[in-house]
């Protein structure tokens, strides 16, 4: 929001510099982003008068102007191509040697054989406006010819650009910010005469219009105030003072009626609307739109209305989008002679998000979405009426003020002792009362029975302050107005205790370091993702949509970390990064009715911490030692096993065991190149190559490999136990089995290890690995041969053949029985 300095000082007269004002407002929570001048720096431009304008002898569109630029230059010859250059007007003249914005230097020069001794400037050339249709036409005012144009137009006056938080809707006006500044610096608020006493608003005519508020629309409109003004002159000129303020506030002057409407909104914060009475059919009604209705808006856009969109309608249909924008069919123009003035209180929930739906935004909608003072609606319509009658003439009819349902004012109590405890410094009763009085709060103070010498202040929240609801809100007001800089800078004092990290528990940082050491980069992605992408990773009933998403592509809480990694991949590929290895640690969000509310949980939301990784591109990066190859399933599997070491993972084909918690990711993995990740027999995640369909949707040239696991289950680790190395030689035996081809080698190894734990002397089995797979001649269809190497060793003696044969017989029988296998001879 833009606040002209002179306008603000008119409301709160003070001697502070504009920088001091900006600092006070910023420290009070109204952040001043920038202090702007009305125009950028330039020199050598003066107020001048065109004495004569003759046609150029050698150019149809140029004029040779004789210009009086002051006592020292009473007759300059300047060539000008502007269509409005004519004798008698006052202009901005850049004399020889002037420097315009952009370091554009003016020098005497010949144009088509005629000498030009300067330049007549447009507003755009001086950086004042975007209009470049002609040269600036000025009033002489109290200035003399030859005066510096910056002084004449007050171009050095500053404008504050303020960034407001959504809860401070009361400051979306000059009056609101002035109220804050008055409380901050202790200077009185000086309201303009037309605000204190809008005398011209008195009803002198009898013209009126009926307004009906639909009983079904009480949650749309809480208050609707209207009146008719007859005999207005729509061609009246907007006063210069109002034009100047509007332009400095970022509003373009359009016409007197429109300018007055915008001015009242900017000054008092109440959006309003002016209808051309002659273009309305019958009386007005306030209601929800009927499905299929359409409305042509002032911005030239025609929108189709839904049943949850509020409208003001006449007998023929909608004429205004409630709280957002008026319709083009009843807009005021030069021929308007009778107008309907309207100001209303629209409930924020009835306006919020409607303009975004139609892909535009308005100042009115921005204010109503956050809340407008419902108690001041009639008073601000009176100010609007006064200015219309004063500037455009006419007679105002009676006021029709319909109150349906307004927000209930509430009282909020603040304990002085609590305020001091929260802010960490004492505040006297007088200081607190001064703050509340300065902000215009009505309050009562009584002794606090729970704290000697302290008081409890009960404040009736003003109708324009929607953000005052709890005790901490009032504490914040005290801190803001007295000043955050009044709070002492005292570092906290506490005993320094070394954090205890159990040896059997890893930290997230340790896992991060392992991933970085494996050549991955950590990313932090948004927890909000696109609806279509989220739907691929969870059932619709499991998704958590946002009620008010900040963007269409951020409408759902992520049910997996993988979509964020895929977004990072596509962004990197778009920037010509051919090798991408990324990981993320974060929460996923799944709707689950079984989850109860607790200190670290939310009712109905399962949000476990996950670790996910993605690898794409060359497996080893650019190097010369080995041939280049694409990263595959087994590369990522090795990275995952190293990550969780010394824990031992197992991997199963999908469907071999219940896949609770992994279905969403599995559905997006290649059916033949994916696996469930298990720890101690429990599924903790899934990994594999991305499904071809999803690769096609994301326009990926090749498929990345991904994994996602539950983080909490891999943080514990077994504590290493020392053991002596055996002095005796190990014995190696190989066995090959013919078995059904769907049998996984990992299942066989797990079964052998289980048998070793149960068998006498089974601890002698040090390791078992698969070293060969065969399919082909000598085997039936549907069979394969797996060869395993068994390493046995004892710490007490050299193993005898009979002892080795006994164990190998146990292992062989176990495999043949469990997997319908036979020993291959």
């Amino acid at each position: 929001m833009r606040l002209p300095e002179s306008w603000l000082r008119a409301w709160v007269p003070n001697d502070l510099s504009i920088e001091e004002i900006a600092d006070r407002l910023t420290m009070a929570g109204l952040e001043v982003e920038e202090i702007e001048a009305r125009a950028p720096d330039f020199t050598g431009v003066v107020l001048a008068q065109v004495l004569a304008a003759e046609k150029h002898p050698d150019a149809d569109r140029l004029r040779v102007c004789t210009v009086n630029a002051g006592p020292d230059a009473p007759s300059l010859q300047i060539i000008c191509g502007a269509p409005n250059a004519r004798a008698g007007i006052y202009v901005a003249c850049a004399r020889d040697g002037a420097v315009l914005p952009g370091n554009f230097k003016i020098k005497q020069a010949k144009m088509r054989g005629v000498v030009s001794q300067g330049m007549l400037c447009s507003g755009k050339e001086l950086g004042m406006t975007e209009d470049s249709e002609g040269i600036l036409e000025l009033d002489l005012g109290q200035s003399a010819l030859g005066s510096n144009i910056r002084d004449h137009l007050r171009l050095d006056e500053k404008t504050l650009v303020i960034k407001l938080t959504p809860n401070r809707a009361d400051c979306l006006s000059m009056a609101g910010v002035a109220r804050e500044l008055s409380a901050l610096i202790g200077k009185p608020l000086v309201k303009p005469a037309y605000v204190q006493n809008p005398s011209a608003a008195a009803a002198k005519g009898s013209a009126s219009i009926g307004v009906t508020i639909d009983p079904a629309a009480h949650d749309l409109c809480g208050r609707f105030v209207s009146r008719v003004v007859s005999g207005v002159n729509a061609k009246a000129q907007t006063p210069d003072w109002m034009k100047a303020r509007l332009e400095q506030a970022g509003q373009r002057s359009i016409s007197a009626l429109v300018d007055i409407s915008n001015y009242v909104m900017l000054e008092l914060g109440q959006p309003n609307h002016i209808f051309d009475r002659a273009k309305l059919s019958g009386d007005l009604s306030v209601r929800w739109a009927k499905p299929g209705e359409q409305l042509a808006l002032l911005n030239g856009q025609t929108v189709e209305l839904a049943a949850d969109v509020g409208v003001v309608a006449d007998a023929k249909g909608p004429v205004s989008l409630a709280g957002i924008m008026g319709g083009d069919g009843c807009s005021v123009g030069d021929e308007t002679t009778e107008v309907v003035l309207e100001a209303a209180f629209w409930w924020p929930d009835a306006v919020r998000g409607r303009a975004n739906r139609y892909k535009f935004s308005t100042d009115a909608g921005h204010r109503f979405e956050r809340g407008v003072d419902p108690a001041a609606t009639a008073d601000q319509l009176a100010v609007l009426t006064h200015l219309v009658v004063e500037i455009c003439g006419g007679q105002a009819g009676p006021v029709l003020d319909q109150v349906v349902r307004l927000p209930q004012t509430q009282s909020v109590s603040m304990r002085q002792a609590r305020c001091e405890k929260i802010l960490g410094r004492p505040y006297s009763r007088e200081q607190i009362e001064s703050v509340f009085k300065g902000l215009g709060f009505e309050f009562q103070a009584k002794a606090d029975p729970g704290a000697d010498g302290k008081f409890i202040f009960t404040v009736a929240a003003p109708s324009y302050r929607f953000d005052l609801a709890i005790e901490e809100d009032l504490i914040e007001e005290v801190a803001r107005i007295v000043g955050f800089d009044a709070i002492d800078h005292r570092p906290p004092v506490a005993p320094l205790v070394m954090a205890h990290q159990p040896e059997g528990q890893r930290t997230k940082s340790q896992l991060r370091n392992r991933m970085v050491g494996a050549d991955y980069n950590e990313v932090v992605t948004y927890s909000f993702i696109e609806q279509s992408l989220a739907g691929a990773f969870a059932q619709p009933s499991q998704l958590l949509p946002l009620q008010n998403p900040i963007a269409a592509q951020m409408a759902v809480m992520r049910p997996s970390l993988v979509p964020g990694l895929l977004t990072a991949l596509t962004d990197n590929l778009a920037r010509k990064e051919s090798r991408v290895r990324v990981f993320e640690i974060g929460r996923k969000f799944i709707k689950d009715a079984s989850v109860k509310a607790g200190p670290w949980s939310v009712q109905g939301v399962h949000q476990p911490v996950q670790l996910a990784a993605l690898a794409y591109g060359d497996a080893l990066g650019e190097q010369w030692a080995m041939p280049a190859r694409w990263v595959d399933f087994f590369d990522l599997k090795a990275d995952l096993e190293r990550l969780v070491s010394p824990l031992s993972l197992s991997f199963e084909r999908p469907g071999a065991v219940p896949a609770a918690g992994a279905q969403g990711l599995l559905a997006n993995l290649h059916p033949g190149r994916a696996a469930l990740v298990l720890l101690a027999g429990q599924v903790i995640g899934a990994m594999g190559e991305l499904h071809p369909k999803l690769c096609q949707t994301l326009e990926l040239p090749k498929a990345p490999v991904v994994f996602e696991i539950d983080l909490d289950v891999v943080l514990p680790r077994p504590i290493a136990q020392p053991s002596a190395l055996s002095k005796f030689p190990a014995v190696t035996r190989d066995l090959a089995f013919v078995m059904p081809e769907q049998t996984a080698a990992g299942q066989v190894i797990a079964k052998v290890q289980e048998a070793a734990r149960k068998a006498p002397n089974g601890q002698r089995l040090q390791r078992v690995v698969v070293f060969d797979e065969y399919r082909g001649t000598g085997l039936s269809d549907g069979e394969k041969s797996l060869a395993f190497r068994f390493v046995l060793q004892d710490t007490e003696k050299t193993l005898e053949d009979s002892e080795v044969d006994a164990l190998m017989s146990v292992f062989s029988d176990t495999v043949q029985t469990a997997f319908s296998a036979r020993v291959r001879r």
Side-chain angles (χ1 to χ4, degrees):
M1 190 175 71
R2 301 171 59 86
L3 297 174
E5 177 186 1
S6 60
W7 198 355
L8 183 60
R9 290 188 188 276
W11 274 79
V12 188
N14 64 85
D15 298 325
L16 297 178
S17 68
I18 190 64
E19 289 77 16
E20 290 175 307
I21 292 175
D23 182 65
R24 296 298 295 271
L25 290 174
T26 298
M27 292 305 296
L30 309 183
E31 181 185 356
V32 178
E33 290 188 304
E34 192 176 355
I35 302 176
E36 294 181 352
R38 288 187 62 187
D41 289 339
F42 60 80
T43 60
V45 183
V46 300
L47 177 65
Q49 183 181 24
V50 179
L51 302 178
E54 305 293 338
K55 184 178 179 297
H56 192 287
D58 195 26
D60 292 337
R61 296 187 179 181
L62 297 181
R63 290 180 174 81
V64 180
C65 300
T66 303
V67 178
N68 181 359
D72 60 337
S75 183
L76 295 178
Q77 180 174 276
I78 297 178
I79 309 300
C80 180
N84 62 329
R86 62 189 186 279
I89 63 173
Y90 294 97
V91 295
C93 175
R95 297 178 57 176
D96 185 13
V99 180
L100 299 186
N103 198 32
F104 183 69
K105 298 178 181 179
I106 303 299
K107 293 188 280 188
Q108 180 174 303
K110 280 188 177 182
M111 299 181 68
R112 296 287 184 95
V114 179
V115 173
S116 180
Q117 298 174 300
M119 174 180 171
L120 304 184
C121 301
S122 68
K124 185 174 184 178
E125 289 160 340
L126 296 181
M128 296 170 55
T129 66
E130 293 298 321
D131 182 17
S132 60
E133 290 299 317
I135 57 177
L136 280 174
E137 295 189 35
L138 307 173
D139 293 325
L140 181 62
Q142 302 298 317
S143 302
L145 294 178
S147 301
N148 189 326
I149 203 70
R150 297 192 74 91
D151 297 333
H152 178 68
L153 296 178
R154 299 171 66 183
L155 297 182
D156 290 321
E157 181 183 331
K158 301 294 192 294
T159 297
L160 300 177
V161 181
I162 294 183
K163 180 181 180 181
L164 293 173
T165 52
N167 64 315
R168 293 309 307 272
D170 60 298
C171 290
L172 283 169
S173 65
M174 179 59 67
V177 177
R179 182 169 51 236
E180 288 284 309
L181 182 61
S182 173
L184 287 168
I185 66 177
K187 297 291 184 180
L189 200 64
V190 179
K191 297 181 180 180
Y194 57 81
V195 174
Q196 294 189 57
N197 181 27
S199 56
K204 296 182 179 179
S206 58
S208 63
I209 188 171
V211 179
T212 303
I213 300 178
D214 190 333
H218 288 181
D219 54 346
L220 165 65
C221 179
R223 185 178 188 181
F224 195 94
V225 187
S226 61
R227 70 190 310 181
V228 175
V229 180
S230 304
V232 299
N233 175 19
K235 296 180 181 180
Q237 293 297 308
T238 304
D240 291 338
W241 61 269
M242 184 179 287
K243 272 187 182 179
R245 286 182 172 180
L246 287 171
E247 288 176 2
Q248 285 180 270
Q251 293 280 350
R252 181 172 57 92
S253 177
I254 299 174
S255 67
L257 288 171
V258 176
D259 291 348
I260 294 168
S261 174
N262 289 333
Y263 182 82
V264 170
M265 178 186 68
L266 293 175
E267 184 162 51
L268 302 179
Q270 171 69 56
N272 55 79
H273 193 66
I274 303 178
F275 299 95
D276 187 330
R277 180 66 178 89
K279 296 178 182 178
L280 296 173
S281 299
D283 293 337
L284 296 177
S285 63
V286 178
R287 59 175 173 82
W288 293 107
K290 300 172 184 177
E293 286 186 317
Q294 292 187 334
L295 176 61
L297 299 171
L298 288 171
N299 63 359
Q301 184 176 347
T302 299
V303 297
E304 185 166 339
L305 306 176
D308 63 343
V309 175
V311 297
V312 179
D314 63 6
K316 292 183 177 179
V319 295
S320 175
L321 207 57
I324 298 174
M325 184 181 288
D328 186 58
C330 58
S331 60
V332 295
D334 288 346
E335 307 305 319
T336 300
T337 58
E338 188 174 46
V339 295
V340 178
L341 310 183
E342 168 261 306
F345 171 74
W346 305 103
W347 284 95
D349 287 342
V351 178
R352 190 174 294 120
R354 275 41 171 205
N356 283 342
R357 184 183 303 175
Y358 299 119
K359 305 292 189 291
F360 66 84
S361 63
T362 64
D363 288 333
H366 183 76
R367 286 163 172 78
F368 281 122
E369 285 178 350
R370 288 155 175 77
V372 171
D373 184 5
T377 309
D379 294 337
Q380 297 188 12
L381 185 74
V383 175
L384 176 66
T385 306
H386 173 92
L387 291 174
V388 168
V389 172
E390 282 287 299
I391 296 170
C392 300
Q395 290 185 328
V399 176
L400 178 61
D401 186 358
Q402 297 186 72
V403 178
V404 179
R405 182 174 67 92
L406 299 180
Q408 296 297 315
T409 57
Q410 58 180 339
S411 295
V412 183
S413 295
M414 185 196 79
R415 294 162 290 174
Q416 182 182 358
R418 176 66 175 168
C419 176
E420 293 176 347
K421 181 178 180 180
I422 291 292
L423 299 180
R425 58 149 292 178
Y427 290 89
S428 66
R429 174 181 179 178
E430 291 72 21
Q431 277 182 304
I432 296 174
E433 289 182 344
S434 176
V435 168
F436 293 161
K437 288 177 182 177
L439 292 171
F441 295 173
E442 295 182 2
F443 65 93
Q444 293 180 340
K446 64 178 181 180
D448 186 350
D452 291 340
K454 304 298 180 181
F455 294 85
I456 297 176
F457 297 86
T458 302
V459 175
S463 56
Y464 51 83
R465 290 298 297 270
F466 290 83
D467 59 320
L468 300 181
I470 59 176
E471 183 176 27
E472 283 71 15
D473 294 330
L474 294 179
I475 294 175
E476 180 187 6
E477 296 301 296
V478 173
R480 287 192 319 107
I481 303 303
V482 175
F484 290 110
D485 52 354
I487 300 175
D488 296 335
H489 296 274
R490 291 181 298 177
V493 178
L496 189 60
V497 180
M498 183 176 293
H500 171 65
Q501 179 61 39
E503 188 178 357
Q505 186 77 10
R506 283 182 283 216
T507 65
K508 294 178 184 178
S509 294
Q510 289 172 325
L511 293 183
R512 284 191 178 97
N513 290 337
R514 285 198 175 188
M515 291 298 293
V516 172
D519 199 21
Y520 288 83
N521 294 295
E522 184 176 13
V523 297
V524 179
T525 64
Y526 285 108
S527 297
F528 314 138
I529 63 174
E530 193 172 356
Q531 172 81 42
S532 59
L533 191 55
F537 286 83
Q539 297 298 320
S541 60
Q542 296 178 309
L543 296 180
L544 290 166
L546 301 180
Q547 291 185 350
N548 187 26
I550 60 178
Q553 67 273 22
M554 304 175 77
V556 180
M557 299 292 286
R558 63 185 180 193
S560 168
L561 302 189
V562 174
L565 300 184
L566 293 173
T567 300
L569 171 63
T570 56
D571 289 344
N572 277 275
L573 292 179
R575 289 159 178 79
K576 307 302 180 183
E577 288 288 342
S578 60
R579 184 173 185 265
V580 179
R581 294 168 68 88
V582 292
F583 77 96
E584 180 173 13
I585 293 177
R587 294 185 183 276
K588 68 178 183 180
F589 306 89
I590 301 291
K591 189 182 295 184
D592 185 348
S594 66
V595 177
K596 305 300 181 184
W600 301 102
S601 62
V602 177
Q603 176 75 33
V605 180
H606 181 50
Q607 41 184 336
V609 180
Q610 303 288 104
L611 190 155
L614 176 148
Y616 180 92
D618 194 79
L620 300 175
E622 292 187 7
Q623 43 79 45
W624 61 85
M626 299 179 66
R629 64 176 181 83
W630 198 263
V631 67
D632 61 20
F633 174 94
F634 296 100
D635 291 313
L636 199 69
K637 176 176 176 287
D639 290 338
L640 179 55
E641 289 178 317
R642 281 192 293 268
L643 172 69
V644 303
S645 175
L647 298 176
S648 179
L649 299 177
S650 59
F651 300 84
E652 298 283 357
R653 286 193 181 95
V657 295
Q663 300 97 326
L665 178 57
L666 280 174
N668 293 280
L669 298 180
H670 192 296
R673 301 173 187 173
L676 294 169
V677 182
L678 296 89
L679 178 64
Q682 297 296 318
V683 176
I684 65 168
M687 66 167 295
E689 191 176 290
L690 200 66
H691 199 287
K693 286 186 178 179
L694 190 53
C695 291
Q696 185 177 11
T697 301
L698 298 175
E699 298 181 353
L700 296 176
K702 291 189 177 182
V705 191
V706 299
F707 75 72
E708 182 174 25
I709 61 172
D710 293 332
L711 181 68
D712 290 341
V713 297
V714 299
L715 291 179
R717 63 180 172 190
I719 299 175
Q721 300 294 330
S723 61
L725 294 175
S726 176
K727 304 175 185 177
F728 304 97
V731 178
T732 301
R733 294 286 179 89
D734 294 342
L735 274 179
F737 298 94
V738 177
M739 59 187 66
E741 64 179 358
Q742 69 270 20
T743 305
Q747 292 176 302
V748 177
I749 292 174
K751 200 68 177 178
V752 169
Q753 291 172 337
E754 180 184 349
R757 288 192 293 270
K758 297 178 180 178
N761 299 317
Q763 75 278 4
R764 290 171 174 171
L765 178 65
Q766 299 299 308
R767 63 183 179 274
V768 56
V769 296
V770 61
F771 68 88
D772 183 56
E773 180 184 47
Y774 173 76
R775 302 169 193 253
T777 304
L779 299 181
S780 302
D781 291 340
E783 288 185 333
K784 67 179 178 180
S785 171
L786 291 179
F788 297 88
R789 178 158 294 157
F790 298 81
V791 179
L792 299 95
Q793 189 178 37
D794 197 301
T795 59
E796 302 294 334
K797 64 175 184 174
T798 300
L799 293 175
E800 297 180 3
D801 288 345
S802 59
E803 294 172 320
V804 173
D805 291 342
L807 281 174
M808 292 302 298
S809 177
V810 170
F811 300 150
S812 177
D813 292 344
T814 299
V815 174
Q816 293 181 68
T817 301
F819 301 102
S820 301
R822 66 179 185 274
V823 176
R824 184 182 176 194
R825 302 300 180 183

